[in-house]
Amino acid sequence: MADDLTVFEVFGRERKGEPHRHAGSLRAADAQMAVVLAQELFCRRKEYVQIWVVPRTAIHWAPDGDAPLGPEPQRVYRIGEGYRGTVEKWKRFGGDGDASRG
Amino acid sequence: MSDGRLEAFEARIARGDLVEADDWMPEEYRRQCFRLIVTHANSELMGALPEREWIPRAPGLKRKLSVLSKVQDEIGHAQMIYRVAEDLARPFGISREQMLDDLIEGKAKFHNVFSYPAPTWADVGVIAWLVDGAALETQGALLRTSYAPYARILRRICAEEAIHLKHGEDIVLTLASGTRAQRAMLQDAIQRWWQPLLHFFGPPDELSPNSERTFRWRIRTRTNEQLRQSFLRKYAPKVLSLGMEIPDPELRLDPETGDWHYGDPDWNEFWRVVKGGGARTEARLELRRMTREQQGWVLAAMADPTSAA
């Protein structure tokens, strides 16, 4: 009986517009029952405006290590830091150098 | 272990890294985490029982709803913690059903405090205030455990326990500002619970290889005695300020260290209780057995909703 139960991971959205965050996990016979149980377990105090349940087997992940995933830090062209020079460059055109407007 | 995995694991822990359920971990780390976590799950489940006895008898609807929701929370905590324990215990071939069987067969441990009777309404207040207060010390320290799935679920649990503590505090304050009979009832309950509360944290940790590893691996981060002292610093002054007596003639604050000196709390009694000899251990386990048997059909229906016509 219990061996037939599926492990579901539960994700909740705390406010409209926010991403869902992992809340915990539970076992249930099917997704419908998982939604019922997720409300019992994780929504007793109006914590979420929406919840998702996802069978754990549906989750896949990239191999993780100690460092954050992503390209090498010297690939600064992917992040704002790679374009810090715009402040100086704007000055040539009489700009005030405020990078946020550049 | 010559493949370097243990060394790499220990180095990770030493630099403050956290362990996830799918990570490689030494079997001994897994075993120690499992034991700690399943004992906590058992305690949440058994902890609901003394209060459950008071749902029909709570004075007034407001209190009844509070006790009812606390019991619901504790059962919810048990569900979440058994789930964490399940993932840890899979390589050992131990299922949740096995854990629940072990509990009702008296093979598994749970906290000493849930083996004592709660004869009066003041006991309900003292349990919710001081037992939950003690549990919050332990669980608050475990928020920093290296086993991340447990730490995550504890954040939610601690937030709810803090509300239970308020509920208990409210009952105690009401009784303390009540009639002479109410104050006497509160004093009696404190009399009954003080020693079990000191026991709650367990005897001072021996410096065994086991406990040395527990702390090195950051499964636990504070010793039993540190937790007990932290509890005493918070709650002993509060109990005394209510004009209540604490049943320990040796209890006194050391003004230099800030520690509380307490009389020998009879550790033989502690061992007797945690080994299943508490006044209500057998009766409460019997209640668990009965509940499991009588409500088995609910579980069966939930496991196979299509057949539950």
Side-chain angles (χ1 to χ4, degrees), chain B residues 68-290:
Chain B
L68 198 59
S69 85
K70 182 172 188 304
V71 167
Q72 191 189 14
D73 282 347
E74 308 294 13
I75 299 296
H77 297 172
Q79 297 268 1
M80 297 182 210
I81 303 169
Y82 278 124
R83 189 72 272 299
V84 174
E86 252 172 2
D87 285 343
L88 265 175
R90 188 166 303 113
F92 299 144
I94 302 174
S95 65
R96 184 187 313 203
E97 284 61 37
Q98 181 70 52
M99 296 175 212
L100 293 170
D101 285 344
D102 284 353
L103 177 64
I104 57 179
E105 284 162 22
K107 292 185 203 158
K109 283 205 174 68
F110 58 92
H111 274 310
N112 70 307
V113 282
F114 306 122
S115 296
Y116 289 94
T120 72
W121 177 244
D123 293 77
V124 179
V126 169
I127 290 171
W129 183 37
L130 295 179
V131 172
D132 283 52
L136 210 46
E137 291 298 321
T138 311
Q139 291 164 23
L142 284 168
L143 290 171
R144 292 185 297 276
T145 181
S146 58
Y147 190 60
Y150 187 40
R152 276 196 293 273
I153 212 69
L154 278 172
R155 279 185 221 149
R156 180 178 297 269
I157 291 170
C158 284
E160 295 186 349
E161 296 291 354
I163 297 165
H164 300 164
L165 189 142
K166 288 277 165 207
H167 145 82
E169 207 175 15
D170 196 58
I171 297 173
V172 167
L173 286 168
T174 304
L175 291 174
S177 30
T179 63
R180 213 147 64 165
Q182 284 172 309
R183 285 181 59 85
M185 183 166 75
L186 178 59
Q187 181 65 66
D188 282 350
I190 290 167
Q191 212 79 19
R192 277 190 287 278
W193 286 96
W194 190 257
Q195 184 175 287
L197 279 164
L198 289 186
H199 287 167
F200 178 86
F201 300 97
D205 293 283
E206 300 160 46
L207 288 173
S208 66
N210 244 1
S211 75
E212 191 270 327
R213 259 186 314 212
T214 307
F215 291 103
R216 185 153 46 89
W217 287 342
R218 283 188 296 108
I219 295 172
R220 291 163 59 204
T221 58
R222 300 187 74 200
T223 67
N224 291 348
E225 194 54 34
Q226 284 171 328
L227 293 167
R228 185 164 27 245
Q229 284 299 334
S230 173
F231 172 81
L232 287 170
R233 279 176 206 209
K234 273 186 209 146
Y235 296 97
K238 286 187 180 168
V239 171
L240 295 171
S241 70
L242 295 173
M244 292 289 135
E245 276 175 34
I246 293 177
D248 177 358
E250 289 182 50
L251 188 78
R252 60 183 156 73
L253 179 68
D254 181 334
E256 278 183 20
T257 60
D259 281 350
W260 285 79
H261 170 81
Y262 52 87
D264 174 21
D266 187 4
W267 291 111
N268 291 332
E269 160 73 3
F270 166 80
W271 288 115
R272 198 177 66 74
V273 169
V274 292
K275 286 177 180 158
R280 298 280 295 161
T281 314
E282 203 30 62
R284 294 219 169 102
L285 284 175
E286 184 50 40
L287 190 61
R288 259 306 298 159
R289 268 175 226 132
M290 210 178 72

Side-chain angles (χ1 to χ4, degrees), chain A residues 1 17-18 26 29 32 43-44 55 58 78 80 83 87 91 98:
Chain A
M1 170 190 91
E18 293 294 313
L26 53 81
Q32 199 185 357
C43 309
R44 287 196 298 273
R78 285 189 189 274
Y83 306 97
V87 178
K91 283 182 182 165
D98 184 344

